[in-house]
Amino acid sequence: MASELLTQIRAELDQRLAQLRPAVSEYEQLLVAARSLGEPPARGSKGSKDPSGSAKKPARAASSGAPAKRAAAKPARKSAGRGATTVVGQAILDALEHGSHTVAELVMVTAMSAKEIRGGIRRLETHGKVAKVKRDGKTAYTPPS
């Protein structure tokens, strides 16, 4: 009797998690987009950290009445620079705090390339910080239990 109840509760939890997973993924994508625009998180959102895990810096106010000079737009980088492994790895670990994710889901959540995510996962696996699991027949990653 008790095991049937636990089985039923687990099935209901799994069903609800499956329903909510797309909403959580969209929420995380919207947070990344808002932060990239320099917007503060919306009221009711958790924390004010960017995907790299560092605290968000407040915007600078102009110190003089002179018009502010705009910095020239920098072209997007094609490859990760030195030290990027910690940024990529931290972004992956932050995303995995909310549950297991496939590489495709991590690409969406972190706004990084699949190549960066795969490299980051490989390094995190080597150091025992993530574990490979099967979810819905797909390979997903989660923090080790």
Side-chain angles (χ1 to χ4, degrees), residues 2-16:
S3 66
E4 291 175 2
L5 178 60
L6 291 175
T7 302
Q8 178 185 356
I9 291 171
R10 182 61 193 183
E12 290 172 5
L13 286 172
D14 288 342
Q15 181 182 13
R16 188 68 178 138

Side-chain angles (χ1 to χ4, degrees), residues 103-123:
V103 170
E105 292 167 343
L106 287 167
V107 166
M108 300 272 296
V109 169
T110 62
M112 294 181 183
S113 71
K115 182 178 179 180
E116 289 174 305
I117 296 296
R118 282 189 211 97
I121 291 224
R122 188 172 46 251
R123 286 184 291 277

